[in-house]
Amino acid sequence: MKKLTVCLLAATALTMAAPASAQFAKAEEAVKYRQSALFVMQQNFSRVAGMAAGKIPFDAKVATDSAAVAEFVSKLPWAGFGPGTDKPESKAKPEIWTSKAKFDDYARKMETEMVKLAVAAKSGNLDGIKAAVNATGGTCKACHDDFRTK
Ligand code: ASC
């Protein structure tokens, strides 16, 4: 009985962890999933970046909400880069799959900066937001330079 409980708990935990190790019915769906996540993240990030650059009027609540969404969504794209998802046509370079550790490292760095950006946005300090936008944008660019076709 105890063993069964442990098994059920483990199964439940695995089910709850599914998004991080999601399997997709088709490679094309994995590509669409990661592109969608990156698009939602980019829209929210660039809204905050626009405010930091003075291109969009600063609104503390919009900045906070947008940065929080970008932070959460920054965790999602990676499940869509599983084995075999290099095949459908996309801007993803094959090196993502041959240098996966480096790619993963870039992903973790971006996630870390997104957390800091969300904290900065919540604080409402525009200078802090600007610094965090620059640091975060730098992690986007570093990965694109190595792993995305132009
Ligand atoms: C964006 C976007 C990126 C990054 C990058 C920052 O808004 O789409 O890829 O910021 O341009 O350097």
Side-chain angles (χ1 to χ4, degrees):
M1 196 58 194
K2 241 184 181 175
K3 257 188 192 165
L4 180 65
T5 307
V6 170
C7 277
L8 284 173
L9 283 174
T12 306
L14 277 174
T15 307
M16 286 163 64
S21 57
Q23 295 298 307
F24 298 89
K26 297 179 199 156
E28 285 75 12
E29 288 179 351
V31 172
K32 192 171 177 183
Y33 181 89
R34 73 195 189 212
Q35 288 174 341
S36 303
L38 288 163
F39 177 72
V40 171
M41 184 180 78
Q42 185 273 333
Q43 289 289 300
N44 283 277
F45 172 72
S46 65
R47 191 175 304 124
V48 182
M51 287 184 198
K55 290 179 188 159
I56 303 172
F58 181 64
D59 181 318
K61 165 115 176 79
V62 173
T64 299
D65 291 350
S66 300
V69 172
E71 181 202 344
F72 180 82
V73 177
S74 74
K75 300 169 183 29
L76 305 184
W78 325 120
F81 286 93
T85 62
D86 54 329
K87 296 285 179 290
E89 186 60 36
S90 82
K91 288 186 188 164
K93 285 189 183 173
E95 285 77 12
I96 290 171
W97 291 271
T98 54
S99 308
K100 198 65 173 32
K102 191 177 176 193
F103 179 75
D104 290 346
D105 189 51
Y106 277 137
R108 295 297 86 74
K109 283 191 174 130
M110 187 275 282
E111 290 176 1
T112 301
E113 295 306 327
M114 279 292 182
V115 172
K116 293 189 204 166
L117 178 60
V119 171
K122 217 171 174 180
S123 83
N125 179 279
L126 202 49
D127 284 336
I129 296 172
K130 280 180 196 169
V133 160
N134 286 338
T136 308
T139 64
C140 301
K141 186 178 184 308
C143 191
H144 290 165
D145 286 351
D146 282 0
F147 291 115
R148 187 180 71 169
T149 58
K150 299 286 171 257

Coordinates of all heavy atoms in Angstrom, one line a residue, residues 38 41-43 45-47 49 133-134 136-142 144 148, ligand 1:
L38 N 8.2 32.1 -27.7 CA 9.2 33.2 -27.9 C 8.5 34.4 -28.4 O 8.9 35.5 -28.0 CB 10.2 32.7 -28.9 CG 11.2 31.6 -28.3 CD1 12.0 30.9 -29.5 CD2 12.2 32.3 -27.4
M41 N 6.8 36.0 -25.4 CA 7.8 36.6 -24.5 C 8.4 37.9 -25.1 O 8.5 38.9 -24.5 CB 9.0 35.6 -24.4 CG 10.1 36.1 -23.4 SD 11.4 34.9 -23.3 CE 12.3 35.2 -24.8
Q42 N 8.7 37.9 -26.4 CA 9.2 39.1 -27.1 C 8.3 40.2 -27.1 O 8.7 41.4 -26.9 CB 9.6 38.7 -28.6 CG 10.3 39.8 -29.4 CD 9.3 40.7 -30.1 OE1 8.2 40.4 -30.4 NE2 9.8 42.0 -30.3
Q43 N 7.0 40.0 -27.3 CA 6.0 41.1 -27.3 C 6.0 41.7 -25.9 O 5.9 43.0 -25.8 CB 4.6 40.5 -27.6 CG 4.4 40.1 -29.0 CD 4.4 41.3 -30.0 OE1 3.5 42.1 -29.8 NE2 5.3 41.3 -30.9
F45 N 8.4 41.5 -23.5 CA 9.8 42.1 -23.3 C 9.9 43.4 -24.0 O 10.4 44.4 -23.4 CB 10.9 41.2 -23.7 CG 12.3 41.8 -23.6 CD1 12.8 42.1 -22.4 CD2 12.9 42.2 -24.7 CE1 14.1 42.7 -22.3 CE2 14.2 42.8 -24.7 CZ 14.8 43.0 -23.4
S46 N 9.6 43.5 -25.3 CA 9.8 44.7 -26.0 C 8.9 45.9 -25.6 O 9.3 47.0 -25.8 CB 9.7 44.5 -27.5 OG 8.4 44.1 -27.9
R47 N 7.8 45.5 -25.0 CA 6.9 46.6 -24.4 C 7.7 47.3 -23.2 O 7.7 48.5 -23.1 CB 5.6 46.0 -23.9 CG 4.5 47.0 -23.5 CD 3.2 46.3 -23.2 NE 2.8 45.5 -24.2 CZ 2.5 44.2 -24.1 NH1 2.6 43.6 -22.9 NH2 2.1 43.5 -25.1
A49 N 10.9 47.1 -22.8 CA 12.1 47.8 -23.4 C 11.8 49.1 -24.0 O 12.5 50.1 -23.9 CB 12.7 46.8 -24.4
V133 N 16.7 45.7 -18.7 CA 16.4 45.5 -20.1 C 17.6 45.2 -20.9 O 17.7 44.3 -21.7 CB 15.6 46.7 -20.6 CG1 15.6 46.8 -22.1 CG2 14.1 46.7 -20.1
N134 N 18.7 46.0 -20.6 CA 19.9 45.9 -21.4 C 20.5 44.5 -21.1 O 21.0 43.8 -22.1 CB 20.9 47.0 -21.0 CG 20.5 48.3 -21.6 OD1 19.8 48.3 -22.6 ND2 21.0 49.4 -21.0
T136 N 19.0 41.8 -20.1 CA 18.2 40.7 -20.7 C 18.3 40.7 -22.2 O 18.5 39.6 -22.8 CB 16.7 40.9 -20.3 OG1 16.6 41.1 -18.9 CG2 15.9 39.7 -20.7
G137 N 18.2 41.8 -22.8 CA 18.4 41.9 -24.3 C 19.7 41.3 -24.7 O 19.8 40.7 -25.8
G138 N 20.7 41.5 -23.9 CA 22.1 41.0 -24.3 C 22.0 39.5 -24.3 O 22.7 38.9 -25.2
T139 N 21.3 38.8 -23.4 CA 21.2 37.4 -23.4 C 20.4 36.9 -24.6 O 20.7 35.8 -25.2 CB 20.6 36.8 -22.1 OG1 19.2 37.2 -22.0 CG2 21.4 37.2 -20.9
C140 N 19.4 37.7 -25.1 CA 18.6 37.3 -26.3 C 19.5 37.3 -27.5 O 19.6 36.4 -28.3 CB 17.5 38.3 -26.5 SG 16.3 38.4 -25.2
K141 N 20.3 38.4 -27.6 CA 21.2 38.6 -28.7 C 22.3 37.6 -28.8 O 22.6 37.1 -29.9 CB 21.8 40.1 -28.7 CG 22.6 40.4 -29.9 CD 23.1 41.8 -29.9 CE 23.8 42.2 -31.2 NZ 24.9 41.2 -31.6
A142 N 22.9 37.3 -27.7 CA 24.0 36.3 -27.6 C 23.6 35.0 -28.2 O 24.3 34.4 -29.0 CB 24.5 36.1 -26.2
H144 N 20.9 34.5 -30.2 CA 20.5 34.6 -31.6 C 21.8 34.7 -32.5 O 21.8 34.1 -33.6 CB 19.7 35.9 -31.8 CG 18.3 35.8 -31.2 ND1 17.5 36.9 -31.0 CD2 17.6 34.8 -30.8 CE1 16.4 36.5 -30.5 NE2 16.4 35.2 -30.3
R148 N 20.6 31.4 -34.2 CA 19.5 31.7 -35.1 C 20.0 32.2 -36.4 O 20.9 33.1 -36.5 CB 18.6 32.7 -34.4 CG 17.3 33.0 -35.2 CD 16.4 34.0 -34.6 NE 17.0 35.4 -34.7 CZ 16.3 36.5 -34.4 NH1 15.1 36.4 -33.9 NH2 16.9 37.6 -34.5
Ligands
ASC1 C1 13.7 42.1 -28.6 C2 13.9 41.0 -29.5 C3 15.1 40.5 -29.4 C4 15.8 41.1 -28.3 C5 17.1 41.6 -28.9 C6 17.9 42.4 -27.8 O1 12.8 42.8 -28.4 O2 12.9 40.6 -30.4 O3 15.5 39.5 -30.1 O4 15.0 42.2 -27.9 O5 16.9 42.4 -30.0 O6 19.2 42.8 -28.3

